[in-house]
Amino acid sequence: MQITGTHFNYYLVCQRKLWLFANGINMEHASDLVYEGKIMHEKSYPQRSTRYKEIELPGIKIDFYDSINKVIHETKKSRKEHNSHTWQLKYYIFRLEKAGLEEVSGLLEYPKEHKTEEVFLSQPDRERIREIETDIHAIIHREQCPPKINKPKCKKCAYYDFCYIDEEQE
Ligand code: SF4
């Protein structure tokens, strides 16, 4: 099975979310989330939209790639899931590298917070990504759904009702 950017992101956010999504229980459309990021980028940086290219690989769609400077631009709403944003971008760089594009870097952009951050892929990162890919395969093929994580971010998750409906009724 081809691991997608969404699988990778969900693995970092919550392994239960990854399992639910991969096993066909879909409460949100990954494409809507991608679309939201794309719209925010277009609104925040309208001058760029025509300059940057869209790149598509199996399971990955990069909306804004600056092919001259070899930079992937990824726009996010807030830094709350900063760690998963960084690793998602590293995963994109990793996949481009596997497709033959070398010396690519990333730029994480948080226009609402006026912050940008460069992202690079190191050798330990490549090893970590290979481990994560193995882990993702193992998690999604488990018989049992991983347990709830009971974290504040659950309240904003599209699976909240699914996960906590019993507790709400108590
Ligand atoms: S509500 Fe919480 S436990 Fe359930 S999938 Fe979302 S993040 Fe994971």
Side-chain angles (χ1 to χ4, degrees):
M1 192 208 74
Q2 175 64 59
I3 292 174
T4 68
T6 304
H7 289 129
F8 203 84
N9 178 270
Y10 285 4
Y11 171 85
L12 297 163
V13 171
C14 168
Q15 296 186 5
R16 179 179 172 91
K17 186 170 182 169
L18 166 67
W19 189 95
L20 290 169
F21 172 75
N23 285 279
I25 301 163
N26 295 331
M27 310 298 266
E28 66 187 351
H29 294 289
S31 57
D32 289 348
L33 295 178
V34 170
Y35 187 65
E36 194 179 86
K38 189 176 180 197
I39 295 288
M40 195 187 331
H41 189 122
E42 283 169 354
K43 278 192 181 160
S44 306
Y45 312 106
Q47 73 286 6
R48 288 183 188 166
S49 300
T50 49
R51 272 198 290 139
Y52 294 175
K53 287 186 182 155
E54 189 179 286
I55 297 190
E56 210 158 342
L57 295 172
I60 302 264
K61 188 161 168 282
I62 297 166
D63 292 318
F64 298 100
Y65 178 62
D66 173 355
S67 57
I68 295 170
N69 298 305
K70 294 188 167 183
V71 179
I72 302 166
H73 289 256
E74 186 68 19
T75 308
K76 299 289 185 190
K77 262 199 286 195
S78 85
R79 289 170 57 82
K80 275 198 189 128
E81 287 290 344
H82 176 254
N83 184 50
S84 68
H85 298 159
T86 306
W87 277 99
Q88 190 177 12
L89 204 36
K90 284 181 191 238
Y91 186 58
Y92 289 167
I93 299 170
F94 177 84
R95 290 287 307 275
L96 287 187
E97 210 174 76
K98 278 177 88 179
L101 272 176
E102 290 183 356
E103 293 177 14
V104 174
S105 64
L107 196 65
L108 261 179
E109 301 177 311
Y110 298 97
K112 285 188 182 168
E113 299 169 24
H114 305 288
K115 289 206 166 96
T116 58
E117 192 179 306
E118 284 188 293
V119 175
F120 298 96
L121 188 70
S122 66
Q123 190 49 33
D125 292 339
R126 288 183 190 93
E127 284 157 24
R128 178 72 188 124
I129 286 173
R130 282 191 205 102
E131 283 170 9
I132 291 175
E133 285 186 327
T134 306
D135 229 9
I136 288 175
H137 280 295
I139 290 165
I140 66 185
H141 289 107
R142 270 188 213 159
E143 288 280 314
Q144 296 267 318
C145 179
K148 292 177 260 189
I149 58 172
N150 286 309
K151 291 207 173 158
K153 64 181 160 190
C154 291
K155 293 221 158 128
K156 293 208 163 172
C157 175
Y159 290 96
Y160 181 77
D161 287 344
F162 181 89
C163 290
Y164 296 98
I165 191 82
D166 293 347
E167 292 173 25
E168 278 181 355
Q169 284 171 350
E170 279 165 13

